[in-house]
Short mmCIF file of all heavy atoms in Angstrom, two decimals:
data_model
loop_
_atom_site.label_atom_id
_atom_site.label_comp_id
_atom_site.label_asym_id
_atom_site.label_seq_id
_atom_site.Cartn_x
_atom_site.Cartn_y
_atom_site.Cartn_z
N GLU L 214 41.96 122.81 117.57
CA GLU L 214 41.15 122.24 118.75
C GLU L 214 40.71 120.80 118.48
O GLU L 214 40.90 119.94 119.18
CB GLU L 214 40.06 123.10 119.14
CG GLU L 214 40.61 124.36 119.96
CD GLU L 214 39.61 125.40 120.21
OE1 GLU L 214 38.35 125.14 120.00
OE2 GLU L 214 39.97 126.43 120.60
N VAL L 215 40.10 120.59 117.18
CA VAL L 215 39.56 119.23 116.85
C VAL L 215 40.90 118.36 116.72
O VAL L 215 40.77 117.08 117.17
CB VAL L 215 38.69 119.29 115.57
CG1 VAL L 215 39.31 119.57 114.34
CG2 VAL L 215 37.92 118.06 115.60
N LYS L 216 41.76 118.85 116.13
CA LYS L 216 42.97 118.06 115.96
C LYS L 216 43.51 117.57 117.22
O LYS L 216 43.83 116.29 117.46
CB LYS L 216 44.20 119.01 115.38
CG LYS L 216 44.40 118.68 113.86
CD LYS L 216 45.48 119.55 113.43
CE LYS L 216 46.30 118.98 112.24
NZ LYS L 216 47.32 119.97 111.76
N ASP L 217 43.76 118.50 118.17
CA ASP L 217 44.24 118.14 119.55
C ASP L 217 43.39 117.07 120.11
O ASP L 217 43.80 116.15 120.77
CB ASP L 217 44.33 119.34 120.38
CG ASP L 217 45.37 120.36 119.95
OD1 ASP L 217 46.23 119.91 119.03
OD2 ASP L 217 45.43 121.47 120.31
N TYR L 218 41.95 117.28 120.06
CA TYR L 218 41.08 116.41 120.75
C TYR L 218 41.25 115.04 120.09
O TYR L 218 41.38 114.07 120.90
CB TYR L 218 39.62 116.93 120.62
CG TYR L 218 38.72 115.88 121.13
CD1 TYR L 218 38.49 115.65 122.47
CD2 TYR L 218 37.98 115.06 120.34
CE1 TYR L 218 37.73 114.71 122.94
CE2 TYR L 218 37.02 114.20 120.70
CZ TYR L 218 37.00 113.96 122.12
OH TYR L 218 36.04 112.88 122.65
N LEU L 219 41.33 114.95 118.88
CA LEU L 219 41.28 113.62 118.11
C LEU L 219 42.54 112.94 118.32
O LEU L 219 42.71 111.68 118.43
CB LEU L 219 40.95 113.69 116.58
CG LEU L 219 39.41 114.15 116.45
CD1 LEU L 219 39.23 114.46 114.93
CD2 LEU L 219 38.49 112.98 116.92
N LYS L 220 43.67 113.73 118.40
CA LYS L 220 45.01 113.07 118.55
C LYS L 220 45.11 112.33 119.97
O LYS L 220 45.49 111.22 119.96
CB LYS L 220 46.12 114.33 118.65
CG LYS L 220 47.40 113.87 118.67
CD LYS L 220 48.42 114.96 118.50
CE LYS L 220 49.69 114.58 118.75
NZ LYS L 220 50.72 115.69 119.03
N THR L 221 44.45 112.95 120.97
CA THR L 221 44.41 112.17 122.27
C THR L 221 43.58 110.92 122.02
O THR L 221 44.08 109.80 122.60
CB THR L 221 43.63 113.05 123.22
OG1 THR L 221 44.16 114.41 123.06
CG2 THR L 221 44.11 112.60 124.72
N GLU L 222 42.57 110.95 121.29
CA GLU L 222 41.63 109.73 121.16
C GLU L 222 42.45 108.74 120.39
O GLU L 222 42.30 107.54 120.78
CB GLU L 222 40.40 110.17 120.48
CG GLU L 222 39.55 111.10 121.26
CD GLU L 222 39.15 110.59 122.66
OE1 GLU L 222 38.32 109.86 122.87
OE2 GLU L 222 39.82 111.30 123.55
N ILE L 223 43.16 109.11 119.30
CA ILE L 223 43.92 108.25 118.55
C ILE L 223 45.07 107.56 119.38
O ILE L 223 45.27 106.33 119.25
CB ILE L 223 44.40 108.80 117.28
CG1 ILE L 223 43.27 109.31 116.35
CG2 ILE L 223 45.50 108.02 116.48
CD1 ILE L 223 43.53 110.15 115.24
N GLN L 224 45.61 108.42 120.25
CA GLN L 224 46.77 107.88 121.05
C GLN L 224 46.15 106.78 121.98
O GLN L 224 46.97 105.92 122.42
CB GLN L 224 47.45 108.92 121.82
CG GLN L 224 48.50 109.69 120.96
CD GLN L 224 48.98 111.07 121.63
OE1 GLN L 224 48.36 111.44 122.64
NE2 GLN L 224 49.87 111.48 120.92
N LYS L 225 44.81 106.90 122.39
CA LYS L 225 44.41 105.77 123.28
C LYS L 225 44.08 104.55 122.47
O LYS L 225 43.60 103.56 122.94
CB LYS L 225 42.91 106.23 123.77
CG LYS L 225 43.07 107.38 124.78
CD LYS L 225 41.71 107.76 125.31
CE LYS L 225 41.57 109.08 125.91
NZ LYS L 225 40.00 109.53 126.00
N GLY L 226 44.30 104.54 121.05
CA GLY L 226 44.17 103.43 120.32
C GLY L 226 42.70 103.35 119.61
O GLY L 226 42.21 102.25 119.17
N LEU L 227 41.79 104.47 119.83
CA LEU L 227 40.47 104.30 119.27
C LEU L 227 40.66 104.74 117.79
O LEU L 227 41.35 105.31 117.28
CB LEU L 227 39.63 105.48 120.09
CG LEU L 227 39.62 105.31 121.55
CD1 LEU L 227 38.75 106.47 122.16
CD2 LEU L 227 39.08 103.95 121.91
N THR L 228 39.49 104.04 117.08
CA THR L 228 39.36 104.17 115.66
C THR L 228 38.39 105.38 115.37
O THR L 228 37.48 105.63 116.09
CB THR L 228 38.77 103.02 114.98
OG1 THR L 228 37.51 102.62 115.70
CG2 THR L 228 39.66 101.74 115.06
N ILE L 229 38.71 106.10 114.38
CA ILE L 229 37.91 107.20 114.11
C ILE L 229 37.15 107.03 112.69
O ILE L 229 37.79 106.79 111.71
CB ILE L 229 38.82 108.52 113.76
CG1 ILE L 229 39.84 108.59 115.01
CG2 ILE L 229 37.88 109.83 113.48
CD1 ILE L 229 39.32 109.20 116.26
N GLY L 230 35.79 107.14 112.72
CA GLY L 230 35.10 107.10 111.42
C GLY L 230 34.61 108.58 111.05
O GLY L 230 34.38 109.37 112.02
N PHE L 231 34.73 108.87 109.84
CA PHE L 231 34.61 110.31 109.46
C PHE L 231 33.57 110.41 108.24
O PHE L 231 33.62 109.67 107.30
CB PHE L 231 35.99 110.85 108.99
CG PHE L 231 35.90 112.31 108.43
CD1 PHE L 231 35.17 113.27 109.19
CD2 PHE L 231 36.62 112.59 107.41
CE1 PHE L 231 35.16 114.62 108.72
CE2 PHE L 231 36.68 114.00 107.07
CZ PHE L 231 35.85 114.93 107.67
N VAL L 232 32.70 111.30 108.55
CA VAL L 232 31.61 111.63 107.41
C VAL L 232 31.63 113.07 107.18
O VAL L 232 31.10 113.85 107.86
CB VAL L 232 30.18 111.24 108.07
CG1 VAL L 232 29.18 111.54 107.04
CG2 VAL L 232 30.16 109.74 108.53
N PRO L 233 32.20 113.37 106.06
CA PRO L 233 32.38 114.77 105.59
C PRO L 233 31.08 115.15 104.85
O PRO L 233 30.56 114.40 104.06
CB PRO L 233 33.44 114.73 104.62
CG PRO L 233 33.97 113.46 104.46
CD PRO L 233 33.10 112.57 105.11
N THR L 234 30.38 116.14 105.24
CA THR L 234 29.17 116.81 104.65
C THR L 234 29.24 118.24 104.42
O THR L 234 30.10 118.98 104.93
CB THR L 234 27.99 116.43 105.50
OG1 THR L 234 27.87 117.44 106.46
CG2 THR L 234 27.95 115.07 106.13
N MET L 235 28.19 118.74 103.62
CA MET L 235 28.11 120.26 103.57
C MET L 235 26.77 120.68 104.33
O MET L 235 26.28 121.65 103.99
CB MET L 235 27.96 120.55 102.08
CG MET L 235 29.16 120.25 101.32
SD MET L 235 29.47 121.28 99.86
CE MET L 235 28.09 120.75 98.88
N GLY L 236 26.48 119.73 105.19
CA GLY L 236 25.17 120.07 106.04
C GLY L 236 23.88 119.94 105.30
O GLY L 236 23.85 119.19 104.43
N ALA L 237 22.82 120.65 105.84
CA ALA L 237 21.44 120.30 105.44
C ALA L 237 21.17 118.86 105.49
O ALA L 237 20.82 118.24 104.55
CB ALA L 237 21.23 121.07 104.05
N LEU L 238 21.46 118.35 106.62
CA LEU L 238 21.53 116.82 106.71
C LEU L 238 20.10 116.19 106.58
O LEU L 238 19.04 116.77 106.81
CB LEU L 238 22.05 116.52 108.17
CG LEU L 238 23.47 117.05 108.48
CD1 LEU L 238 23.92 116.49 109.85
CD2 LEU L 238 24.42 116.55 107.46
N HIS L 239 20.16 114.98 106.02
CA HIS L 239 18.95 114.20 105.76
C HIS L 239 19.31 112.84 106.01
O HIS L 239 20.51 112.43 106.38
CB HIS L 239 18.43 114.44 104.33
CG HIS L 239 19.53 114.32 103.26
ND1 HIS L 239 20.12 113.06 102.87
CD2 HIS L 239 20.04 115.19 102.39
CE1 HIS L 239 20.91 113.25 101.96
NE2 HIS L 239 20.97 114.51 101.64
N GLU L 240 18.34 111.91 105.72
CA GLU L 240 18.59 110.47 106.01
C GLU L 240 19.71 109.80 105.23
O GLU L 240 20.43 108.93 105.72
CB GLU L 240 17.27 109.65 105.64
CG GLU L 240 16.26 109.40 106.73
CD GLU L 240 16.96 108.78 108.04
OE1 GLU L 240 17.66 107.76 107.83
OE2 GLU L 240 16.76 109.26 109.13
#
Side-chain angles (χ1 to χ4, degrees):
E214 287 170 12
V215 73
K216 254 182 152 172
D217 290 346
Y218 174 72
L219 291 172
K220 191 174 167 194
T221 320
E222 300 304 286
I223 292 167
Q224 278 167 353
K225 289 182 201 159
L227 301 182
T228 55
I229 311 284
F231 180 39
V232 180
T234 81
M235 298 205 298
L238 300 184
H239 50 67
E240 272 300 314

